[in-house]
Amino acid sequence: MGRLITVADSADPRLADYVRLRDVQLRKSLEAEHGLFIAEGEKVIRRAVETGYPVRSLLMAPRWLDPLADLLERVDAPVYVADDAVLEGIVGFPVHRGALASMARRPLPPVPELVADARRVLVLEDLVDHGNVGAIFRCAAALGVDAVVLSPRCADPLYRRSVKVSMGAVFAIPYARMTDWHHGLGELRAAGHRLLALTPDQSAVPIEKAVWGERVALMLGTEGDGLSSRWLKAADEAVCIPMSPGAMARGVDSLNVVAAASIACYGLMRS
Amino acid sequence: MGRLITVADSADPRLADYVRLRDVQLRKSLEAEHGLFIAEGEKVIRRAVETGYPVRSLLMAPRWLDPLADLLERVDAPVYVADDAVLEGIVGFPVHRGALASMARRPLPPVPELVADARRVLVLEDLVDHGNVGAIFRCAAALGVDAVVLSPRCADPLYRRSVKVSMGAVFAIPYARMTDWHHGLGELRAAGHRLLALTPDQSAVPIEKAVWGERVALMLGTEGDGLSSRWLKAADEAVCIPMSPGAMARGVDSLNVVAAASIACYGLMRS
């Protein structure tokens, strides 16, 4: 059972896990250093706990004690209770969802271990936007992707915004991070995955004609420039989502990465 | 040729079009009252001008005068020049893209006129998130949708964030707004459009088995609750994007509206 502790001072050092949630640079170093991440809102907190992430502490407005009573019963961690003004003072903005949890990260598996039993894998190269990463995990979970591999510099799936946009799907799909960008794809190939590169280049193979293979890793590139030329070259096949013939005339030359990922995952599910 | 006017005071009344760009309530009333919208960044401003929206004024940091010189040559409107501090004082945040334009809105066509020659139409019911509306327009432009119809309460495609996320696609796809939610779908049916309702309900017809028909209007509902029951009932057919069998066990019971729209538009393009 969580211990209820009322907090009246937004500078209380016991709440250090929750400070300045919109300060991306601060949060990155603070979360890495302490091995934590923040879950926000009842649904997401429940998903994080259900999937086995250890709870470091919870922080909520009094009105959330009741809706979360069953969960608080089960966790062994301090439950800090603060009014909205104190909450805002800590995190730096009004917390509409009113309930936050600081969760402990778990060690990620090595890539070979992650993909050993995964038939359909997404590989994300250097995505920078946490919202996009979260949206792609949600898509992947809905459409039957087995695992996600991140390039060394890809944005963090457990960053607050990723978690929120994913609606908790980042807890549901196993993932790992490559340690070596240069040779990282080799580990997928060694595990028997056919490497498909998704590109906006309309001379690539249309995705509905792609040869998926029994085990497939679909590579998605960064928001602006797409996949690196190194990864494009390393692929077994480059595939594209055909645009409408009139799209260029309309000044639209590509889909955003979430839209492209959605269509590609849908194709992957039907492979 | 635009007249260059240097501005040193962020309270200058000539810049009233640009005040507090992140204040959603203020912007909604201000933009409606003056019939304007804001385009942000070189690419989007160029798209807005190319597609014929009249320029009320431009506002930029001095470094943008050169990259935009050809455009400034052609527009007949004041060009306000301000340094970054003044810019931030006006709009309320650091303007990384450094160039803004206040554009005049144009009257929207009545729905029957809009859809008279449109084979593939999207209908958006009460979406609240401007980013989602923008992303759906981008998708629609890339995948060959001819027109978009908005419910009376659907978020504004010309709101700054919609425009930005759409990468200017909101200028490229003709759209109209229904004046009457109750009977609005009747205008589409009268124009010969088959009404397909996209729903997360997995007992609906899988989208790849949908009967598209020669003229089709695909209806998408709001982020949280999906389509209203009135519109669902009014549809000729309810269609769904089949989830992976394991998705529910993973706690993921739906795609977000942009992912769903992407997959549906892709299907629509191939119909």
Side-chain angles (χ1 to χ4, degrees), chain A:
Chain A
M1 165 88 198
R3 287 154 283 140
L4 297 193
I5 301 163
T6 300
V7 179
D9 175 6
S10 59
D12 191 312
R14 291 172 297 180
L15 302 182
D17 284 7
Y18 302 95
V19 296
R20 302 221 303 275
L21 289 182
R22 283 197 179 148
D23 183 336
V24 180
Q25 289 314 316
L26 169 75
R27 295 305 308 182
K28 277 186 184 170
S29 56
L30 185 151
E31 296 188 10
E33 189 172 338
H34 298 286
L36 64 86
F37 69 94
I38 299 293
E40 184 180 6
E42 178 181 356
K43 183 174 173 183
V44 166
I45 292 172
R46 288 187 182 279
R47 289 298 299 161
V49 172
E50 279 161 20
T51 47
Y53 283 95
V55 180
R56 290 164 58 94
S57 68
L58 293 115
L59 170 61
M60 60 192 68
R63 65 181 177 282
W64 283 99
L65 290 173
D66 201 39
L68 284 167
D70 62 304
L71 182 135
L72 300 181
E73 198 68 42
R74 282 177 289 133
V75 303
D76 180 27
V79 180
Y80 299 107
V81 183
D83 66 25
D84 287 323
V86 174
L87 273 176
E88 181 170 350
I90 299 159
V91 307
F93 57 90
V95 185
H96 298 300
R97 292 177 194 233
L100 299 163
S102 173
M103 315 289 297
R105 292 176 183 249
R106 293 181 300 197
L108 295 177
V111 172
E113 188 183 307
L114 175 82
V115 301
D117 295 320
R119 210 193 123 205
R120 302 183 187 106
V121 177
L122 282 191
V123 190
L124 308 184
E125 187 186 28
D126 296 4
L127 295 196
V128 297
D129 184 284
H130 292 107
N132 286 342
V133 170
I136 290 172
F137 268 81
R138 180 169 171 193
C139 225
L143 299 176
V145 168
D146 299 312
V148 176
V149 175
L150 310 174
S151 70
R153 296 193 300 184
C154 185
D156 178 12
L158 293 185
Y159 191 78
R160 187 177 60 99
R161 184 162 160 75
S162 317
V163 172
K164 189 169 161 181
V165 171
S166 84
M167 306 277 281
V170 290
F171 311 136
I173 302 254
Y175 71 92
R177 190 180 287 279
M178 289 177 182
T179 50
D180 176 2
W181 173 78
H182 269 86
H183 304 101
L185 295 175
E187 297 182 322
L188 286 157
R189 186 165 278 130
H193 286 84
R194 182 171 161 79
L195 302 179
L196 295 191
L198 188 64
T199 167
D201 178 355
Q202 296 287 298
S203 67
V205 176
I207 194 153
E208 64 268 26
K209 294 186 181 147
V211 178
W212 296 101
E214 180 50 35
R215 291 162 77 83
V216 59
L218 181 74
M219 296 143 62
L220 303 176
T222 187
E223 291 87 352
D225 298 327
L227 287 163
S228 64
S229 57
R230 183 179 177 93
W231 279 27
L232 264 177
K233 272 189 218 131
D236 294 304
E237 191 169 46
V239 297
C240 72
I241 294 163
M243 300 283 108
S244 148
M248 287 296 286
R250 284 170 154 170
V252 175
D253 58 1
S254 66
L255 288 161
N256 81 25
V257 67
V258 175
S262 309
I263 296 168
C265 287
Y266 185 70
L268 201 55
M269 183 172 68
R270 316 201 91 55
S271 69

Side-chain angles (χ1 to χ4, degrees), chain B residues 249-269:
Chain B
R250 285 170 153 171
V252 175
D253 59 2
S254 65
L255 288 161
N256 80 26
V257 68
V258 175
S262 309
I263 296 168
C265 287
Y266 185 69
L268 200 55
M269 183 173 67

Side-chain angles (χ1 to χ4, degrees), chain B residues 9-246:
Chain B
D9 175 6
S10 58
D12 191 313
R14 291 172 297 182
L15 302 181
D17 284 7
Y18 301 95
V19 297
R20 302 221 304 274
L21 290 181
R22 282 198 180 147
D23 183 336
V24 180
Q25 290 314 315
L26 168 75
R27 295 303 310 181
K28 278 186 184 170
S29 57
L30 185 152
E31 297 187 11
E33 190 173 334
H34 298 285
L36 64 87
F37 70 94
I38 299 294
E40 185 179 7
E42 179 182 356
K43 184 175 172 181
V44 166
I45 293 172
R46 287 187 182 279
R47 289 299 299 161
V49 172
E50 278 160 20
T51 47
Y53 283 94
V55 180
R56 289 165 58 94
S57 68
L58 293 115
L59 170 61
M60 60 190 69
R63 65 181 178 282
W64 283 99
L65 290 174
D66 200 39
L68 283 167
D70 62 302
L71 182 135
L72 301 183
E73 198 67 42
R74 281 177 289 132
V75 302
D76 180 27
V79 180
Y80 299 107
V81 183
D83 66 25
D84 287 324
V86 174
L87 273 176
E88 182 170 349
I90 298 160
V91 307
F93 58 90
V95 185
H96 298 299
R97 292 178 194 233
L100 298 162
S102 174
M103 316 289 298
R105 291 176 183 248
R106 294 182 299 198
L108 295 176
V111 171
E113 186 182 311
L114 176 82
V115 301
D117 295 319
R119 208 192 125 206
R120 303 183 186 104
V121 177
L122 282 191
V123 191
L124 308 184
E125 187 186 28
D126 295 4
L127 294 196
V128 297
D129 183 285
H130 291 107
N132 286 342
V133 170
I136 291 172
F137 268 80
R138 180 171 172 192
C139 224
L143 299 176
V145 167
D146 299 312
V148 177
V149 175
L150 311 174
S151 71
R153 295 192 302 182
C154 186
D156 178 11
L158 293 185
Y159 191 77
R160 186 177 62 98
R161 185 164 160 71
S162 317
V163 172
K164 188 170 163 181
V165 171
S166 83
M167 306 278 281
V170 289
F171 310 136
I173 302 251
Y175 70 93
R177 192 179 285 279
M178 290 176 180
T179 49
D180 176 1
W181 173 78
H182 268 86
H183 303 102
L185 294 175
E187 298 182 320
L188 285 156
R189 184 164 279 129
H193 286 83
R194 181 169 162 80
L195 301 179
L196 295 191
L198 188 64
T199 165
D201 178 354
Q202 297 287 297
S203 67
V205 177
I207 193 152
E208 64 268 26
K209 294 187 181 147
V211 177
W212 296 101
E214 180 51 34
R215 291 162 77 82
V216 59
L218 181 73
M219 296 144 61
L220 302 175
T222 187
E223 290 87 352
D225 298 327
L227 287 164
S228 64
S229 56
R230 182 178 178 95
W231 278 28
L232 263 178
K233 271 189 219 132
D236 294 304
E237 190 168 47
V239 298
C240 73
I241 294 163
M243 300 282 109
S244 147

